[in-house]
Structures are given as structure tokens and as C-alpha cells.
Amino acid sequence: MKKRPFGLAVAQLGPIDKEESRASAVQRLHEMMREAASRGADMVVFPELALTTFFPRYWMTEQEAQARYFERTMPGPETQILFDTARELGIGFYLGYAEISAQGRPYNTSILVDKNGDIVGRYRKVHLPGHSDHKPTAPFQHLEKKYFDVGNEGFFVWETMQANIGMCLCNDRRWPETWRMLSLQGADIVALGYNTPSVNIHWPEPTHLRMLHHLVTLQSAAYQNCVWIGAAAKAGLEDGSHLIGGSVIVAPTGEIMAQAQSEDDEVIFCQADLALGDTFKQHVFNLAAHRRPEHYRLIVDQVGAGEPLGRAPVD
Amino acid sequence: MKKRPFGLAVAQLGPIDKEESRASAVQRLHEMMREAASRGADMVVFPELALTTFFPRYWMTEQEAQARYFERTMPGPETQILFDTARELGIGFYLGYAEISAQGRPYNTSILVDKNGDIVGRYRKVHLPGHSDHKPTAPFQHLEKKYFDVGNEGFFVWETMQANIGMCLCNDRRWPETWRMLSLQGADIVALGYNTPSVNIHWPEPTHLRMLHHLVTLQSAAYQNCVWIGAAAKAGLEDGSHLIGGSVIVAPTGEIMAQAQSEDDEVIFCQADLALGDTFKQHVFNLAAHRRPEHYRLIVDQVGAGEPLGRAPVD
């Protein structure tokens, strides 16, 4: 039995300075968690890499990055308060951070924590953007492919807090495969954190396109997969590099139901009717009735773009 | 060597009355083909089922539907003029129609015709919407699943007219699998015809959402797959049933570059820079660098929505 409506909050973060401590960043998250709970939230979505600056913009050794920016335990000493407060207030949360696994591998990770303060799910980012080499002429680096391993676990939905909740991270949202993996597991809500630079380091892309792509992608994904999306940015001018804001809650109708107004710490909230997606799931996007996987083989059989396969009809 | 820019025209049709003859409908297409050519079009995109009314809204026998609304030859006596004019003016086209195959099977089909008037490609619609049973309480029927077989050939891109051109039809556009099958074949342009009722027969969906879904879906698909899209509606009040317009040309940036203003016969045009998608193909959507098919298995291994597969992390 699903809880309807579901109090969905998104807590956008303003910039985190390179020198800002974990404790300070966690304090900001903690304040927003209390605000979200006071507004009736069942869950609050925090950004990707929400404990530090977006360090993949800097060139350094993997060892240095791991020493400064990664977590070896979760909860750890600084983050324990978030778990304690979740249990105290009865609010779940999604949190992105840089993880060193038990096996010593580095991942760009998010966790899903329930109202008891227990970690019920973990997601390790699959679609790492950027590059692993040093680009001396770029205005900044985007070294996610250097500092992180590709997520080794895949895409999942968890049944928790009386809803089916999926997770993804940042660049994953641009890949329709992400969303389909989650709707095939019956997701009602997808939580997403992101850090999206305003500047494309590869070509002078008009800045307004970055926000257009973000919003259009989420609206389309919510609609086509009949899910609510809670998307939390780290935003604003961080160490001289600008990140877009635009944290949003999007309904399965494809409509934006709440949007952040600032590029700073800001909570947005929506009483999400989880049944709103049901009519889409039963008709236009009844996956069982309409999907034709026999015609989708290339999606798993081929990685990159190949040649046109069309031939002239023979009868 | 690709031709850049590519003159891309979309010819929206107003309603086709149930009693309107093939010759009359073809005459309307023919006039728009001449207009498109005069504006410098390399190709003009016509709608889905562009020769008749949108007959899946009516309950009848398959035999009656096939006798009244399907084509057994293409070109046929009435449509030959389109092929002759294509050759005369040096303009390619995409045309949707109801096809009886050489094997006697019914398909919702589009063809791609080059500047020599030759059929270079054929697409048979895969994602048939609607139902096959009679719904006596619905305001109208949506019987594509009754009158058509599911396309038996799949999704293709053709190298023609100095571009890589893919095809799909109407409801296909709502399925991200469609677009990925085409970008995996290096599509530069995707041609799409549609007939989209303004009214959802299953629930009182606000009418404005139909246009939102149409536009957001195309903008997202164009961006995520780095393609130009030419999307042609049959629009307006047809036999008492309203179809949305909103024919558009969308760029790989996700921007709408041209949009029809009317719900009647109308040509829109854009000099499409096919190189505009290249920077996306090389970086953010470099499929070979970023896609992870090992994590996409459910997309082909499962048809409908299943249960959440997420478990608590064990380390």
C-alpha cells in the first residue's frame, strides 16, 4: 500500500568553498533537513557530492583527491548528525558523496536513507562525464573519469517509505537508458543530485542551453517513465567556477511543480500525488502492452554510434 | 561527405475529411511539396497516414478498413505525381500511409523517397498505441492495435541525400528506445509524422499537456540523440475529432527552430546545419565513451514494469 501523497523536498546547496569544512557543509544540510521536515517532507533530496566543492574541476593525484574529498565510512563522524536527525524527525534523505568502498575503490555515490536513519540503498554513478587526461587549455577540468570508477552495481529502485524510489546522479539524467532501467522496476519517485557547470569546456555553448537541456531532459524523463523527480543542484559560483541551479520537482505529467529561485541554499517542496503517474502507467506508457524489446537489440549489443543499417525495401 | 546545410521542410496537413478523395489529399501534399522546393528544401516531411482521415478512430471490420484506407501499391495511381514531382524538382520526401504488404499484412508505414523519386527506405510502425477492442463509452476509438500489425522490420537509418536519415511514426516518439536505435546508427535527421488527438480517451487529461508532452519529448530526443527532427502533424478538427498541430523542426541543441502557426496545411522550413550535432556527438553524447550497456540489460530482457530490485548495501 503506497502512501499518497508523498511529501517530497529538494534541498539545493549554494557553493561549497574549497576550504569549507565537512562539518560546515553538513550543518547547512542539517538546517535544510529541519526545514524540509517542518514543511511535511517524507524525504529530502540533497545534491551530488554534497559534502565538498566539486573537486573534479581540479587536477591532482588520485591519492590527494581521495585524502581530501572522499568518505571511507558512512555515516562518518561529521555526517552522523544527518542520520540522527532523520530518525528524530522521521524524514528520509538522499545524499551524494565521494565514496571509497570497502574494497578501496572510488565511486561517485548516493545513498537512500529511510526514516529510521538506516541506509536502505546505495547507487554508484554509471555515466561518468568528462575526461581522465589533463586539458591545459580548458578553463577548468572535468575529471570524473580520472577520480571515479564506473559504478559497478547498476541502476536500482528500492521499496521504502511506502514508495518505490530510484536513484541516479547528475549526468545519468541525460541518458534515457537510466530512466528506463528505473521505470522497468516500477519507480514512483527518482532522486537525483547534480553539479552542472554553466560553461562547456569543449565549445562556446550558449549558457542558456545548459538550463534548457536540464529542464527538458527531466520533464521528458518524468513523463516517459511516469515518475516524480526530485532534482537537487549544487549551484552558484564555486571557487570561481559557475554551476547552474534550477533544482526542480517534476511530476509524471512532465510539469515542473516547484523550482528553486536562487543559486544558494534553498528548500523546495511538493505534496506529490504518487497516483498521478498511474493513469499513464496503465495506458500510454503501459510498458507491457507497448514495448517491443525484439526491436531494441542495438541498445545492448552496441556501445557507440555505428553505420546506418537501412536498406531499400525489397517487396 | 555530408551536405551542410540541409534544407529541411515539414508540411503539416489540416484535417482530411472522411469523404475526401485520395486525389484531393495528394493534391494538397503536391502543392506543399512545390512550396517546400521553392524555399530550398532538400526533403519535405509529410504526416502519418497522410492520404486519408485518421480512420483508427472508427470501429469497422478489418476488411472494410483495408478496402477504404490502405494502399496496395506505392506509388499508386493517385500518389505517382508526388514521385514525379520529387524527381522534377530534385526534392526528397517522407510520407506516411496505411500499407498492405506484398504478403497481405497491414502496417502503419512511412517511406523515404530520394530526389530521383526512388523509395530508398520503408518503416513500419513499431509502437502502436491504443487498443483492439471496441470501447463503447469512449468519445472515439483508437484502434491502431486492431487495424495494424506491429512493424516487423525495426528501426533504421538510411544514408541518402548526403545525410543519415531515420524514420519513426507518431507514438514512437514517446519511446526513448526509438531514438536510441536511430542515434546508434548515426542519424543526422529523423523524420516523423503524427496524428495526435487532443483528447485522452482514458481520463480527463488537460488538453495543454498533449502539446507539452509532444514538444518536450521532441526537444529531449533531439538533444539526447544529437539529431535534427522534422515532425509533421495532421492537425485540426477532423470529422469532429480534434488533432493537435505543433509541427516543428527541432535542432540537436533541443531548440525549436520552426513551428507551425496553424492547424491547417502549412509548410515550415529550416536550413539545418547538420554539423550542429557534431560537437555533442564528440563530447557529452559520445556514445562509445559514455554508454554502459552492461547496466542496461532489463531494457531488452524485460518488457513490462517489474518489481524493485534494490537491496540494502552489504558492504
Side-chain angles (χ1 to χ4, degrees):
Chain A
M1 185 57 187
K2 302 260 175 66
K3 177 171 183 184
R4 295 156 198 249
F6 186 100
L8 181 58
V10 167
Q12 177 175 283
L13 274 172
I16 298 181
D17 188 84
K18 200 157 59 164
E19 305 306 326
E20 184 167 343
S21 69
R22 291 284 199 291
S24 169
V26 169
Q27 180 56 29
R28 292 164 61 185
L29 297 173
H30 181 241
E31 284 175 24
M32 290 199 285
M33 179 183 280
R34 288 198 171 274
E35 179 178 345
S38 76
R39 293 168 74 176
D42 291 284
M43 176 175 75
V44 56
V45 180
F46 292 125
E48 177 193 39
L49 300 173
L51 304 177
T52 68
T53 193
F54 186 67
F55 62 88
R57 75 168 72 88
Y58 303 111
W59 180 263
M60 67 193 104
T61 66
E62 283 80 347
Q63 292 70 25
E64 183 180 355
Q66 292 183 16
R68 294 187 60 170
Y69 297 114
F70 282 65
E71 315 299 313
R72 292 185 176 271
T73 57
M74 185 58 63
E78 300 96 341
T79 47
Q80 182 65 51
I81 188 175
L82 296 175
F83 293 76
D84 295 343
T85 304
R87 186 166 46 246
E88 172 199 336
L89 301 178
I91 182 173
F93 67 93
Y94 161 109
L95 177 72
Y97 65 100
E99 175 201 8
I100 299 291
S101 74
Q103 291 73 34
R105 302 307 312 165
Y107 298 103
N108 188 342
T109 293
S110 62
I111 50 170
L112 187 61
V113 178
D114 70 11
K115 296 179 180 189
N116 296 320
D118 293 326
I119 297 177
V120 295
R122 174 181 66 207
Y123 168 68
R124 292 167 171 167
K125 188 172 179 181
V126 166
H127 296 104
L128 298 173
H131 50 97
S132 56
D133 57 320
H134 188 237
K135 295 195 180 300
T137 62
F140 53 88
Q141 309 295 304
H142 200 127
L143 294 165
E144 290 193 52
K145 286 194 192 293
K146 172 177 167 71
Y147 297 130
F148 301 115
D149 283 5
V150 171
N152 62 337
E153 298 182 317
F155 297 100
F156 292 102
V157 171
W158 290 266
E159 189 172 358
T160 181
M161 297 179 264
Q162 295 175 278
N164 292 340
I165 303 177
M167 293 196 278
C168 63
L169 277 161
C170 197
N171 183 49
D172 285 321
R173 72 194 188 285
R174 305 184 196 274
W175 298 85
E177 293 89 346
T178 300
W179 303 97
R180 185 59 92 218
M181 288 297 297
L182 301 177
S183 55
L184 282 167
Q185 296 175 54
D188 301 310
I189 301 169
V190 177
L192 158 74
Y194 60 98
N195 287 256
T196 299
S198 298
V199 172
N200 186 325
I201 63 173
H202 300 295
W203 70 295
E205 179 180 330
T207 302
H208 76 274
L209 288 181
R210 306 291 267 184
M211 185 60 78
L212 175 74
H213 295 160
H214 164 65
L215 294 177
V216 158
T217 290
L218 293 187
Q219 291 182 266
S220 176
Y223 166 61
Q224 294 176 347
N225 295 281
C226 316
V227 294
W228 284 87
I229 299 173
K234 180 138 60 63
L237 194 65
E238 191 179 73
D239 295 341
S241 177
H242 191 263
L243 302 167
I244 66 165
S247 296
V248 282
I249 298 173
V250 185
T253 58
E255 294 173 295
I256 295 169
M257 309 312 260
Q259 181 166 342
Q261 304 164 50
S262 73
E263 294 182 343
D264 213 331
D265 293 8
E266 180 180 347
V267 176
I268 58 174
F269 176 76
C270 181
Q271 281 287 13
D273 175 7
L274 297 191
L276 193 57
D278 288 353
T279 186
F280 294 101
K281 289 179 183 175
Q282 288 156 14
H283 298 293
V284 61
F285 293 121
N286 180 331
L287 304 184
H290 301 308
R291 293 184 77 248
R292 298 289 165 186
E294 67 272 25
H295 292 308
Y296 306 156
R297 292 293 323 177
L298 281 189
I299 291 172
V300 297
D301 289 348
Q302 186 176 305
V303 182
E307 295 300 309
L309 299 175
R311 299 291 173 264
V314 291
D315 58 25
Chain B
M1 185 60 188
K2 302 261 176 67
K3 177 172 185 184
R4 292 149 199 254
F6 186 100
L8 180 58
V10 167
Q12 177 175 283
L13 273 171
I16 298 182
D17 188 84
K18 199 158 60 163
E19 305 307 326
E20 185 169 342
S21 67
R22 293 285 200 292
S24 169
V26 169
Q27 179 57 30
R28 291 163 62 186
L29 298 173
H30 181 240
E31 283 174 24
M32 290 200 286
M33 179 182 281
R34 288 197 171 275
E35 178 179 345
S38 77
R39 292 168 73 176
D42 290 285
M43 176 175 75
V44 56
V45 180
F46 293 124
E48 177 193 40
L49 300 173
L51 305 177
T52 69
T53 192
F54 186 68
F55 63 87
R57 78 168 67 90
Y58 303 110
W59 179 263
M60 66 192 106
T61 65
E62 283 82 345
Q63 293 70 25
E64 183 180 355
Q66 293 184 15
R68 293 188 60 171
Y69 297 113
F70 282 65
E71 314 299 313
R72 292 187 175 269
T73 57
M74 187 57 65
E78 298 97 342
T79 47
Q80 182 65 49
I81 188 174
L82 296 174
F83 294 75
D84 294 343
T85 304
R87 186 165 48 244
E88 172 200 335
L89 300 179
I91 181 172
F93 67 93
Y94 162 108
L95 177 71
Y97 65 99
E99 175 202 10
I100 300 291
S101 75
Q103 290 75 33
R105 302 308 313 166
Y107 297 104
N108 188 343
T109 294
S110 63
I111 49 170
L112 187 60
V113 178
D114 71 10
K115 297 179 181 188
N116 296 318
D118 294 327
I119 297 175
V120 295
R122 175 180 65 208
Y123 169 67
R124 291 167 172 166
K125 188 173 178 179
V126 165
H127 296 105
L128 297 174
H131 49 96
S132 56
D133 57 320
H134 188 238
K135 296 197 179 297
T137 62
F140 54 88
Q141 309 295 305
H142 200 126
L143 294 164
E144 290 194 53
K145 286 196 191 289
K146 172 178 167 69
Y147 297 130
F148 301 115
D149 284 5
V150 170
N152 61 338
E153 299 182 315
F155 296 100
F156 292 101
V157 171
W158 290 267
E159 190 173 357
T160 181
M161 296 180 265
Q162 295 175 278
N164 292 341
I165 304 178
M167 293 195 278
C168 63
L169 278 161
C170 196
N171 182 49
D172 286 321
R173 73 194 187 286
R174 304 184 196 273
W175 299 84
E177 293 90 345
T178 300
W179 302 96
R180 185 59 93 221
M181 288 297 297
L182 300 178
S183 55
L184 282 167
Q185 296 176 54
D188 301 308
I189 303 170
V190 177
L192 158 75
Y194 61 98
N195 287 256
T196 299
S198 297
V199 172
N200 186 325
I201 63 173
H202 300 293
W203 70 294
E205 179 181 331
T207 302
H208 75 274
L209 288 181
R210 307 290 268 185
M211 185 61 76
L212 175 74
H213 295 161
H214 163 65
L215 294 178
V216 157
T217 291
L218 293 187
Q219 290 181 267
S220 175
Y223 166 60
Q224 294 177 347
N225 295 281
C226 316
V227 294
W228 284 87
I229 298 174
K234 181 135 62 62
L237 195 65
E238 190 179 72
D239 296 341
S241 177
H242 190 263
L243 302 167
I244 67 166
S247 297
V248 283
I249 298 172
V250 185
T253 58
E255 295 173 295
I256 296 170
M257 309 311 260
Q259 181 167 341
Q261 304 164 48
S262 73
E263 294 182 342
D264 212 331
D265 294 7
E266 181 180 348
V267 176
I268 58 175
F269 176 76
C270 181
Q271 280 287 13
D273 176 6
L274 296 191
L276 193 57
D278 287 353
T279 186
F280 294 100
K281 289 179 184 177
Q282 288 156 16
H283 299 293
V284 61
F285 293 120
N286 180 331
L287 304 184
H290 302 309
R291 293 183 76 245
R292 298 291 166 186
E294 67 273 25
H295 292 308
Y296 306 156
R297 291 296 320 178
L298 281 189
I299 291 173
V300 297
D301 289 349
Q302 187 175 304
V303 183
E307 295 302 307
L309 299 175
R311 301 289 173 265
V314 290
D315 56 26

